[in-house]
Amino acid sequence: MATDPRLARSAPSVSIPPHPPPPPPPLESLPQQKPLVGLDGVENKGPDAGEASSVEDGFKLKFCTVCASNNNRSMEAHLRLSLAGYPVISFGTGSLVRLPGPTITQPQVYSFNTTSYTQMYTELISKDQRLYRANGILNMLDRNRQVKWGPERWQDWPVGRPRLEHKDDRGSQGVEGGVVDVVITCEERCWDAVVDNLLERGSPLNRPVHVINLDIRDSHEEALLGGKAILDLADSINKAAQEEREKNAIESWTEGNEEGDASFDQRVPDILADWQERWPQFPALWTLAWF
């Protein structure tokens, strides 16, 4: 049926009410916090995420992981141990932090203790994002900055001084006092540097510390495997320490009970030998030193 357009123009306008806003999305569809993803692209889960911890609630040894630049091997192990519930800190023993650059003779060099992982990440993106994404450096730094602020140097660590400024680091709960029970290095020259430095310090705390080296090649793939091996070793050592603690009815095997300390110390070489059979690709060294 035809209509007169003049009548349409003269007709009063009618406002159409807007549609009501859509209901809020269910909680399941809300964006979640960025997961902590390892170098293998797999989300790392720990006790807080519902994954069973590899260490029982209660007694836990305190660990320290060490490599040359506190970026690749020691940080992968730091992450693994912290997600398993262990108190852990990590260091590097080099004079400077060195990361792969455009060529083998042009590394990217940074200072320990004053340069954050985020600063390195941002700078390398601005220099050549394609290169540093392809060689895995950006993924490594992205992981690191979710673990702690920046690389620390072993030789600059004031042993026994409270680490209250590191309370946001993963694994920091339990190592606030600035001492550890076991140091695990990832290269023999790092082991040498740690042992030599402990001798130079002169054992002011008179506190025993087990220093173990696992020879792990400095690549992303070997670091991933080495992190699993270090966690396996930590589980074995912690189990033995807990057994000796219960046997000798002491709160800690480092509280001056000579019988408990000696029993645990004597078991470490055998524990390491058993571990070596499971992980023959990582030759191990061990010594008992003092803080």
Side-chain angles (χ1 to χ4, degrees):
M1 177 180 177
T3 59
D4 188 344
R6 292 172 297 177
L7 295 178
R9 285 196 298 268
S10 62
S13 60
V14 178
S15 61
I16 302 175
H19 291 290
L27 293 177
E28 292 79 3
S29 64
L30 293 176
Q32 301 295 318
Q33 185 177 5
K34 180 181 178 182
L36 181 55
V37 177
L39 295 179
D40 52 1
V42 177
E43 179 181 349
N44 289 297
K45 298 181 179 180
D48 294 339
E51 183 181 87
S53 172
S54 60
V55 57
E56 296 179 3
D57 292 336
F59 178 75
K60 300 172 186 175
L61 290 176
K62 303 173 182 66
F63 289 89
C64 172
T65 61
V66 181
C67 67
S69 291
N70 196 202
N71 261 280
N72 186 27
R73 296 164 291 180
S74 63
M75 286 301 290
E76 177 64 27
H78 184 146
L79 174 61
R80 296 271 181 179
L81 291 172
S82 66
L83 290 175
Y86 288 109
V88 58
I89 54 180
S90 59
F91 296 96
T93 57
S95 56
L96 292 166
V97 176
R98 290 180 170 83
L99 301 178
T103 68
I104 194 172
T105 59
Q106 295 176 296
Q108 298 293 338
V109 180
Y110 302 95
S111 298
F112 280 103
N113 308 319
T114 58
T115 310
S116 72
Y117 293 120
T118 297
Q119 287 175 278
M120 300 178 196
Y121 183 88
T122 304
E123 179 179 312
L124 295 184
I125 281 183
S126 66
K127 287 186 175 181
D128 193 336
Q129 180 174 355
R130 183 178 179 181
L131 169 64
Y132 295 109
R133 184 73 66 188
N135 64 11
I137 298 300
L138 289 180
N139 290 342
M140 178 187 73
L141 292 173
D142 192 34
R143 174 206 63 194
N144 293 352
R145 63 183 182 166
Q146 298 177 67
V147 175
K148 67 176 190 174
W149 183 83
E152 302 173 77
R153 189 168 183 258
W154 167 274
Q155 292 87 338
D156 300 329
W157 174 32
V159 177
R161 180 183 298 177
R163 291 173 55 85
L164 301 181
E165 70 277 14
H166 295 275
K167 60 182 178 63
D168 294 328
D169 294 357
R170 284 186 176 268
S172 62
Q173 187 173 1
V175 286
E176 302 92 336
V179 292
V180 297
D181 302 311
V182 181
V183 177
I184 301 179
T185 62
C186 303
E187 187 175 345
E188 188 170 348
R189 62 172 176 163
C190 298
W191 187 78
D192 290 337
V194 166
V195 173
D196 289 346
N197 179 256
L198 288 174
L199 291 173
E200 292 172 2
R201 292 174 187 255
S203 310
L205 303 181
N206 196 31
R207 178 188 174 101
V209 57
H210 292 265
V211 186
I212 300 170
N213 181 71
L214 312 181
D215 232 354
I216 304 172
R217 191 164 59 88
D218 193 7
S219 70
H220 299 312
E221 296 77 14
E222 288 294 300
L224 285 168
L225 190 60
K228 297 177 182 179
I230 288 174
L231 177 57
D232 182 27
L233 178 59
D235 286 340
S236 299
I237 295 176
N238 191 78
K239 180 181 178 182
Q242 188 169 17
E243 291 171 353
E244 293 301 325
R245 171 177 173 266
E246 294 171 353
K247 182 189 304 182
N248 293 280
I250 55 176
E251 291 299 319
S252 169
W253 60 273
T254 57
E255 287 189 350
N257 184 303
E258 294 183 2
E259 182 180 354
D261 291 354
S263 298
F264 174 78
D265 295 343
Q266 292 168 3
R267 291 183 62 178
V268 171
D270 292 333
I271 294 169
L272 194 57
D274 292 339
W275 174 91
Q276 189 75 85
E277 292 182 0
R278 299 192 297 272
W279 301 90
Q281 66 271 50
F282 301 126
L285 293 172
W286 165 82
T287 190
L288 182 64
W290 301 85
F291 278 133

